[in-house]
Amino acid sequence: MSSIQLWTLIFILGSFAVYIGIAWRSRVQETEGFYVAGHGIPTVANGAAIAADWMSAASFISMAGLIAFLGSDGSMYLMGWTGGYVLLALLIAPYLRKWGKYTVPEFVGDRYSELVRTIAAAAAIIISFTYVVGQMRGGGIVFSRFLGLDITGGVLVAAAIIFTYAVLGGMKGITWTQVAQYTVLIIAYLIPAAAVAWQFTNIPVPQVTFGQVLDELNALSTQLGLDAYTQAFTSRPMIDVLLVTLALMVGTAGLPHVIIRFYTTKSVRGSRYSAFWALAFIALLYTTAPAVGAFTKLNLLQGVRGKAVSDLPRWVQNWAETGLVQIKEGVERIGSVSNDPAAGADLTVDSDILVLASPEIAGLPAPIIGLVAAGGMAAAMSTAAGLLLVISSSVSHDFYFRRVRRAASDREQLLAGRIAMGGAVVIAVLGGVNPPAFVAQVVAFAFGLAAASFFPAIVLGIFWKRCNAAGAAAGITVGLAFTITYMVYTLDVFGTEANPYLLGISPEGIGAIGALVNFVVAIVVSKLTAPPPAHLAELVESIRYPAPRRLPAHQDGEAV
Amino acid sequence: MSDTGPGSEPPPGSAAEDSWRREYWRRNLRYMVILLSIWFIVSFGLGILLVEPLNAVIINGFPLGFWFAQQGSIYTFLLLILVYAVLMDRLDDKFGVSERDGEGRRL
């Protein structure tokens, strides 16, 4: 066993022990604890849990690498995956917390009709499932690279741990474990980033200092056949960057596993501040990622430029074994680098490996490499657990006890929630071991689907009393149909032929237009049909004010 | 919320009840419109639409448009959420709808 493997094992086993310990301490006995942690999570802890839930294997493992090779256009991921929190904090979180039940489909069911609830539950399951398979896969890759386990074994180990704490503690166990996982993943991200920033600039604050290497990076990139790093719109036209950013933002604010996290706070006020803390914790990683991308790419390009194949740095050999780094046959000296195998460059580096390989590329010691592996695992597992909870609550709470068995005791509901969770874990393992071919691509499109379905229905439900069930159902259906049609039209993953993009709009960006279509259809149909009944207008009224009004005399003395 | 304590205010649906609710909601919407305008201008305006002209300005090694797109917009988002939460604390207190326990402490 190499020292890297030993350290990885120590960090991963150590972090797993902590997760299991937390799970045992926060096991639950009633349904409210299982689904929304009894509405009792403190604000800052909830923020950390949201951050861990939100930042997936993709954020931790892939994003900096994507940005490194996209350069300036990588901004669409940075802004898209953070800007949605402004929408959540201002338009959604406080109101859904005031309404105060368990699931997102349940809200649209109460606000519109049972039909809309069923459509929403189906959409929540599909979106969460495509997303969770990617997480299982991410965890499996970490295991296979660092511990030499095969991917199946890796997925099984990760799933067994998640199963333990998710089934035992439900949302409560998941939330407290996620607080621990956030701590692990952010330390694992920041330490190597600070170390690399220190190597280049002698200041360990990557956010501030990566500006100093941009000139050099631009020059080196052009020399090795890549676009200048800070040049905008090299990979996509402006309209597409705009729409992808918007689709990711709106999709973030519409993803069920994110929205339910605001149900767990103690108060409406707590949900507003939870959004702040969540974004603060996320921003710590998201402002570091572009620096990691820039530094690692510079390191990589300097390490290989003009080198003979026989004296390339060691990491090239290590990662070539996984097939994620390739040297073109017959090449003797590296004159060009790319992340796209089709480009035919001398050295092809898969952008997914950049974060995991960055400590090796920078020549950092083995314990740090082990720490990064544990961080990648934490990111994958925390997101998977949050998604599994959405799947289990949609199946048991929104389908089974709504459609099949309406009267049930609290114990029975809790048991059903646990069984559904167990079932979801088993399906996720099958998907992770043997992913359907389209999954990798579809994960990115989960955002488009969430943007085109949930976001408009929820926002209209809160801000426009006149919106009725027919309008919401029509909006969701047409918005989804429009978005899916364009995705099928432009991609070859569903067994159809890929057609060229219309107006330069990529399938990742179409969700923004799908959301607009949803809004327009919902408004027009609502206007053409009868207004919703009076008790629904009262429901909308009631969620707009955090608490019953007290006498004016009572408030003066305590105004802050 | 309509299930208020006894004698604390006029019955729901009365003119007095409606007028404070309208006023509260109007102010909330105004905060939202202002903050979301800033959200849009910084991210889509400075980070995407105007990124190329702004890149001509270089500060501490960062082309300015590039900096807004990869750093500045994220800090702005964070600030916007904090400002909204603080403004709403004040608004809730002003209208007596903040969440308090029996002794008047914040929940």
Side-chain angles (χ1 to χ4, degrees):
Chain A
M1 185 179 272
S2 72
S3 71
I4 290 182
Q5 284 187 339
L6 181 70
W7 281 106
T8 306
L9 204 60
I10 290 171
F11 278 111
I12 287 189
L13 289 182
S15 60
F16 281 5
V18 172
Y19 306 154
I20 296 290
I22 292 171
W24 180 250
R25 292 196 51 164
S26 49
R27 59 200 186 279
V28 291
Q29 264 91 39
E30 66 291 313
T31 322
E32 203 184 12
F34 192 79
Y35 286 135
V36 290
H39 299 299
I41 305 289
T43 308
V44 180
N46 203 51
I50 295 171
D53 195 322
W54 172 240
M55 291 189 286
S56 58
S59 287
F60 189 95
I61 298 174
S62 311
M63 195 175 61
L66 266 174
I67 295 167
F69 282 100
L70 281 172
S72 172
D73 294 342
S75 318
M76 64 191 178
Y77 295 115
L78 293 167
M79 289 193 283
W81 282 330
T82 53
Y85 279 85
V86 179
L87 299 177
L88 270 170
L90 271 58
L91 300 176
I92 292 178
Y95 308 107
L96 291 198
R97 174 62 191 84
K98 176 66 201 305
W99 167 80
K101 284 190 199 163
Y102 297 162
T103 70
V104 174
E106 196 175 13
F107 172 74
V108 291
D110 281 8
R111 172 63 180 81
Y112 299 116
S113 70
E114 281 302 302
L115 172 70
V116 185
R117 179 176 184 165
T118 306
I119 298 174
I125 292 170
I126 295 168
I127 292 170
S128 303
F129 179 69
T130 54
Y131 214 109
V132 81
V133 170
Q135 305 308 316
M136 300 309 249
R137 193 78 186 160
I141 289 173
V142 172
F143 266 105
S144 66
R145 163 63 186 90
F146 291 101
L147 295 178
L149 223 65
D150 68 336
I151 288 193
T152 310
V155 170
L156 281 175
V157 174
I161 304 286
I162 295 171
F163 181 86
T164 313
Y165 65 75
V167 171
L168 204 62
M171 185 59 121
K172 194 173 166 207
I174 289 174
T175 302
W176 288 112
T177 324
Q178 282 170 337
V179 174
Q181 284 162 335
Y182 176 78
T183 314
V184 172
L185 82 86
I186 200 67
I187 292 175
Y189 207 82
L190 293 183
I191 287 183
V196 175
W198 176 267
Q199 283 183 346
F200 273 104
T201 62
N202 285 327
I203 304 171
V205 189
Q207 288 89 336
V208 180
T209 56
F210 80 100
Q212 297 174 21
V213 302
L214 291 174
D215 267 342
E216 201 182 343
L217 186 53
N218 279 339
L220 206 54
S221 297
T222 12
Q223 209 181 332
L224 287 165
L226 295 154
D227 291 312
Y229 195 75
T230 57
Q231 176 71 42
F233 314 124
T234 50
S235 59
R236 294 158 182 265
M238 183 193 281
I239 176 80
D240 195 37
V241 171
L242 198 100
L243 287 174
V244 172
T245 308
L246 187 60
L248 294 178
M249 286 182 181
V250 174
T252 301
L255 279 174
H257 76 280
V258 180
I259 297 177
I260 53 162
R261 303 321 302 255
F262 294 96
Y263 292 13
T264 57
T265 58
K266 289 177 177 163
S267 62
V268 174
R269 178 172 186 264
S271 73
R272 295 189 197 119
Y273 282 93
S274 273
F276 168 76
W277 285 111
L279 186 59
F281 289 128
I282 292 168
L284 212 49
L285 191 144
Y286 271 59
T287 54
T288 310
V292 171
F295 283 130
T296 309
K297 189 171 179 194
L298 184 59
N299 239 334
L300 186 161
L301 296 183
Q302 284 177 341
V304 303
R305 178 192 46 181
K307 287 265 169 68
V309 168
S310 53
D311 12 284
L312 283 174
R314 243 192 94 106
W315 63 265
V316 175
Q317 187 54 42
N318 287 348
W319 284 90
E321 286 164 18
T322 64
L324 296 171
V325 170
Q326 284 168 339
I327 301 166
K328 195 159 103 182
E329 263 178 68
V331 169
E332 287 178 0
R333 243 165 231 291
I334 304 297
S336 59
V337 177
S338 173
N339 64 329
D340 179 9
D346 297 344
L347 182 70
T348 303
V349 179
D350 189 303
S351 44
D352 275 355
I353 71 159
L354 238 61
V355 167
L356 294 178
S358 73
E360 284 174 88
I361 294 176
L364 297 176
I368 293 189
I369 299 172
L371 184 64
V372 170
M377 280 308 297
M381 289 169 68
S382 58
T383 306
L387 291 161
L388 289 167
L389 190 89
V390 169
I391 297 174
S392 110
S393 66
S394 296
V395 170
S396 66
H397 193 70
D398 292 315
F399 273 124
Y400 184 68
F401 287 111
R402 212 59 198 185
R403 292 278 168 191
V404 185
R405 206 184 140 76
R406 286 173 186 237
S409 68
D410 196 66
R411 279 189 57 166
E412 203 181 330
Q413 291 203 29
L414 184 60
L415 181 66
R418 286 189 161 136
I419 293 172
M421 179 77 81
V425 173
V426 171
I427 297 173
V429 168
L430 294 177
V433 171
N434 191 8
F438 60 88
V439 159
Q441 297 209 40
V442 173
V443 172
F445 306 127
F447 287 88
L449 299 179
S453 57
F454 287 112
F455 182 78
I458 294 171
V459 168
L460 284 175
I462 296 165
F463 289 89
W464 195 43
K465 289 180 194 162
R466 181 67 179 74
C467 190
N468 61 21
I476 293 177
T477 317
V478 177
L480 272 181
F482 170 84
T483 308
I484 293 172
T485 306
Y486 188 78
M487 288 178 180
V488 173
Y489 176 79
T490 47
L491 296 166
D492 59 0
V493 290
F494 302 100
T496 52
E497 206 175 311
N499 293 289
Y501 298 169
L502 303 176
L503 303 169
I505 300 169
S506 66
E508 292 107 312
I510 196 65
I513 299 180
L516 188 69
V517 169
N518 183 334
F519 270 117
V520 171
V521 170
I523 291 170
V524 170
V525 174
S526 293
K527 281 278 187 194
L528 292 178
T529 47
H535 75 272
L536 288 181
E538 270 166 42
L539 170 88
V540 176
E541 242 336 86
S542 73
I543 62 175
R544 289 181 177 182
Y545 315 101
R549 193 177 197 217
R550 289 179 308 278
L551 280 174
H554 186 61
Q555 51 163 303
D556 285 343
E558 60 194 32
V560 181
Chain B
M1 216 166 134
S2 50
D3 55 332
T4 49
S8 66
E9 60 190 75
S14 72
E17 175 75 5
D18 275 0
S19 92
W20 80 258
R21 285 186 168 192
R22 246 203 308 277
E23 181 61 18
Y24 174 91
W25 192 244
R26 202 179 58 80
R27 293 201 192 189
N28 178 19
L29 291 181
R30 193 170 62 198
Y31 292 153
M32 279 175 3
V33 168
I34 294 170
L35 294 174
L36 286 176
S37 306
I38 300 173
W39 167 79
F40 184 86
I41 291 167
V42 173
S43 54
F44 294 96
L46 305 182
I48 297 177
L49 296 169
L50 298 174
V51 64
E52 284 171 320
L54 282 175
N55 276 349
V57 183
I58 293 181
I59 296 173
N60 193 21
F62 291 102
L64 192 59
F66 177 86
W67 183 82
F68 267 109
Q70 302 211 339
Q71 297 279 313
S73 58
I74 301 176
Y75 301 131
T76 310
F77 297 151
L78 194 57
L79 201 64
L80 290 174
I81 297 179
L82 183 63
V83 167
Y84 180 70
V86 171
L87 286 176
M88 289 308 284
D89 274 356
R90 293 196 184 161
L91 191 67
D92 289 346
D93 280 334
K94 193 170 155 82
F95 283 83
V97 294
S98 57
E99 299 147 292
R100 305 275 176 170
D101 63 12
E103 278 106 58
R105 284 186 299 254
R106 279 193 196 282
L107 285 175

